[in-house]
Amino acid sequence: MNFLWKFAVTLCALSALLRAHDPGISTAQGELRADALVLTTGFAPADAQQLLPPTLRHEGAWTQSEFDAAHERLLAIASQLWEIRHGGGVVSPREMRVELLAGDNVSFTLVFPRGPDRPALTLRALKLTELPSGHRQFVIVSDETGAVVAKKLMKADDAALEVPASGPESAATISAGSAGSVKPPAGDTATWWEFVKLGVEHIATGYDHLLFLFGLLVVCRSFRSIVAIISCFTLAHSITLALATLDWVNVPARFVEPAIAASIVFVGVENVLRRGEEPRGRWALTFAFGLVHGFGFASVLRDLGVGRGGDGIAMPLITFNLGVELGQIMIAAVVLPMVWRLRKNEKFVARGVPALSAVVALAGLYWLVERTVFA
């Protein structure tokens, strides 16, 4: 049992170090007009802080006065966000502005001139390497009719987008910015696959979701119960993921994140009280809590602006959810054989499962306090 206790201590320590998943998402929208490229870049508060020098960073929400104090520095950052090229030259912005939006989102707007020949453009995001590892930026460029001409889910090592030359009736405004304005593309193979990978990465780094699933599965005594648990969780979070992404149901993160932590505490405590035995009706509990976790998953797509206006929702929603399910299956394929083998030992069932469940409950309690008292 020494291994078990070492594992429990390690898991408990990690729970204090690993915060809730933070996918690091920003968005980009573009509209091609006649004579200018208007580039509006938006970042969530935590990501905007990363762009500032350490002396200007602070915890918590920005006040208008704090934003005003950093305004000049933010304007300097604005000119460094994107490199726009056509032909062999770099285009300099003719106008820049920075705004503090609702929710502390920071919006950078740059206006670039564009010649009458409306040449092909190359957009390169210059600041992705300075943001937390794994940050993604969803870029979509449309013409004045709303037709998508280019799109990409960028990352630090793949941060360029080619925008084809437009005809005389088209033009150039690109907006890399606030999530609320983005209309997702219908999707091509590359973007489809990027959303699948985003879903896998989200569940793989969603330590709260994974710990919840672990707490459910560690007491399962049969393959049938495992299938029931995973199916109920999948169905439930798929429902609320779709509802929240479409903006039909809107539950603020300040309620969702503590509720997810509370679900982990509940499952861990119930396992301890049952002394490692599988509770009856666990599938119903899984479905109920799965609805809550679905709102957490939806935050990724909503941060990307997916679903606003209802356009192009199918591809991002289906492929992101597919990625989440693939991630769950891969993790379960690794963890479950070890759990089944350990469950053959009566001492593990009697002592090990309650001990691990206690660690699950403690980790959930840590997150619950972090998301309420210290939020």
Side-chain angles (χ1 to χ4, degrees):
M1 301 292 288
N2 288 336
F3 168 77
L4 175 63
W5 285 110
K6 290 179 180 178
F7 176 78
V9 170
T10 301
L11 185 59
C12 192
L14 285 175
S15 69
L17 296 174
L18 298 175
R19 303 180 67 112
H21 52 85
D22 180 12
I25 295 293
S26 55
T27 56
Q29 184 182 9
E31 183 186 356
L32 292 171
R33 293 183 181 174
D35 62 348
L37 169 61
V38 180
L39 184 62
T40 307
T41 306
F43 292 101
D47 294 326
Q49 295 285 351
Q50 293 294 321
L51 299 176
L52 289 170
T55 55
L56 293 178
R57 298 176 189 173
H58 60 87
E59 295 293 333
W62 273 359
T63 64
Q64 186 63 48
S65 61
E66 289 169 336
F67 174 78
D68 291 341
H71 186 263
E72 290 302 318
R73 180 58 182 170
L74 290 170
L75 272 178
I77 291 172
S79 64
Q80 303 165 9
L81 290 176
W82 290 85
E83 178 186 83
I84 310 299
R85 286 180 173 271
H86 69 75
V90 176
V91 182
S92 298
R94 70 186 186 201
E95 180 185 338
M96 297 184 295
R97 64 180 181 270
V98 184
E99 300 173 278
L100 181 63
L101 305 180
D104 276 354
N105 290 300
V106 179
S107 176
F108 301 83
T109 301
L110 298 90
V111 181
F112 295 86
R114 194 181 186 210
D117 55 338
R118 303 178 182 93
L121 301 174
T122 300
L123 282 64
R124 183 175 298 277
L126 302 178
K127 290 291 186 178
L128 287 181
T129 56
E130 299 180 22
L131 293 170
S133 177
H135 187 93
R136 296 290 188 271
Q137 187 166 65
F138 184 37
V139 184
I140 178 170
V141 181
S142 305
D143 62 20
E144 290 181 303
T145 68
V148 174
V149 296
K151 58 188 176 298
K152 187 171 186 177
L153 192 61
M154 290 185 176
K155 51 188 177 180
D157 59 354
D158 188 12
L161 173 66
E162 300 293 333
V163 179
S166 55
E169 73 285 353
S170 300
T173 293
I174 290 186
S175 166
S178 58
S181 63
V182 175
K183 293 182 179 181
D188 55 21
T189 302
T191 306
W192 184 95
W193 179 239
E194 286 298 325
F195 273 103
V196 172
K197 290 194 293 182
L198 187 64
V200 173
E201 291 172 4
H202 184 70
I203 190 64
T205 58
Y207 309 111
D208 45 3
H209 300 303
L210 292 178
L211 206 57
F212 175 73
L213 274 177
F214 178 78
L216 294 171
L217 297 176
V218 74
V219 297
C220 288
R221 305 186 65 178
S222 67
F223 182 75
R224 179 180 179 181
S225 63
I226 289 170
V227 171
I229 291 295
I230 294 179
S231 298
C232 286
F233 185 67
T234 297
L235 177 61
H237 76 62
S238 296
I239 291 172
T240 46
L241 171 62
L243 292 176
T245 302
L246 289 166
D247 210 22
W248 292 350
V249 179
N250 185 4
V251 181
R254 66 179 182 274
F255 299 128
V256 173
E257 295 302 321
I260 290 173
S263 72
I264 299 170
V265 175
F266 186 96
V267 168
V269 170
E270 186 179 38
N271 288 354
V272 172
L273 296 178
R274 296 281 183 171
R275 297 185 180 276
E277 293 299 320
E278 183 176 359
R280 296 184 62 181
R282 228 343 150 54
W283 63 270
L285 177 73
T286 302
F287 185 85
F289 281 138
L291 293 172
V292 176
H293 283 249
F295 286 115
F297 291 139
S299 65
V300 177
L301 295 184
R302 291 189 65 174
D303 284 347
L304 288 172
V306 172
R308 303 295 175 86
D311 296 329
I313 181 65
M315 184 279 291
L317 181 60
I318 292 173
T319 53
F320 176 79
N321 201 38
L322 175 61
V324 170
E325 305 316 320
L326 288 175
Q328 289 179 178
I329 292 171
M330 289 187 291
I331 293 167
V334 173
V335 173
L336 287 178
M338 294 188 292
V339 173
W340 282 341
R341 184 173 180 179
L342 289 170
R343 284 191 66 90
K344 293 178 181 179
N345 186 320
E346 294 182 2
K347 290 183 178 180
F348 174 79
V349 176
R351 300 178 184 177
V353 173
L356 290 174
S357 298
V359 173
V360 170
L362 288 173
L365 182 61
Y366 169 83
W367 282 320
L368 182 60
V369 172
E370 180 191 48
R371 298 171 188 183
T372 53
V373 178
F374 298 110

